[in-house]
Amino acid sequence: GAVVSQHPSWVICKSGTSVKIECRSLDFQATTMFWYRQFPKQSLMLMATSNEGSKATYEQGVEKDKFLINHASLTLSTLTVTSAHPEDSSFYICSASGGTGLADTQYFGPGTRLTVL
Amino acid sequence: ELKVEQNPLFLSMQEGKNYTIYCNYSTTSDRLYWYRQDPGKSLESLFVLLSNGAVKQEGRLMASLDTKARLSTLHITAAVHDLSATYFCAVDPPGGSRLTFGEGTQLTVNP
């Protein structure tokens, strides 16, 4: 149980375009979803926290207009990178909590590798 | 602000040897997690430590937590090549589920 999927697994896009990444909790209802970014050889940095039906809370330094997060249902959150640039190239990982097992335990998705040319 | 520091950041060891990775954190915490990450992959949960003195073991890995010292250790026993990966600790502050990660320890086990 407690499986989180992400789609796509990897994406390559041109600079200036927008990219949407989906995060789904497959077998539980996720009241909270988290989006992380990881640059090569670095740790995970929390970008934002989203609760179903409410606006996301962004970490300091993360541009909310550039990284649009929508948590429309208890099983789906989306991250849209708008007007992507090469510096946005990174590994994006989502996690979800609120399901089975320990309360508030985060279950991580497999990640999406974004490359902006 | 909660800070989490791991030591060492890079570790190269021979198969069969033992070693310990340390994770220090700066404020009180409800929970401490250990994760494994293989290159190009996401995180795999290894352990969740909930209370002072907690010890958990899985195979060649054993994790412990000392909340008074704000220290967790991940001990590797008789390392094998398959353990090569990056290991992260992460801390959950009181009252919240907003994880703060350590820098990661890149472990290489050489034959």
Side-chain angles (χ1 to χ4, degrees), chain B residues 24-87:
Chain B
N24 288 93
Y25 53 98
S26 59
T27 64
T28 57
S29 169
D30 281 350
R31 282 172 285 197
L32 190 139
Y33 300 81
W34 283 98
Y35 296 95
R36 167 181 172 145
Q37 185 178 38
D38 291 296
K41 304 290 186 181
S42 187
L43 301 182
E44 174 189 348
S45 180
L46 297 175
F47 301 108
V48 180
L49 301 170
L50 300 177
S51 60
N52 187 42
V55 177
K56 290 194 174 180
Q57 182 164 6
E58 182 72 34
R60 301 174 187 273
L61 300 178
M62 183 173 71
S64 67
L65 178 62
D66 181 344
T67 57
K68 293 180 182 178
R70 296 177 186 164
L71 170 69
S72 179
T73 61
L74 180 66
H75 186 74
I76 303 157
T77 302
V80 293
H81 180 69
D82 286 350
L83 290 179
S84 297
T86 299
Y87 293 85

Side-chain angles (χ1 to χ4, degrees), chain A residues 34-99:
Chain A
F34 305 82
W35 287 95
Y36 296 86
R37 180 167 54 183
Q38 185 181 34
F39 292 109
K41 304 292 185 182
Q42 295 188 23
S43 188
L44 278 74
M45 296 297 295
L46 179 65
M47 299 175 65
T49 303
S50 73
N51 292 295
E52 184 264 340
S54 60
K55 290 184 178 180
T57 301
Y58 291 81
E59 294 299 303
Q60 193 172 9
V62 177
E63 300 175 58
K64 64 176 76 174
D65 294 332
K66 181 168 186 61
F67 299 100
L68 301 179
I69 292 172
N70 184 280
H71 192 163
S73 75
L74 286 172
T75 58
L76 173 64
S77 176
T78 60
L79 167 67
T80 301
V81 183
T82 62
S83 187
H85 287 92
E87 57 266 30
D88 299 324
S89 298
S90 187
F91 193 44
Y92 292 86
I93 303 174
C94 74
S95 71
S97 69

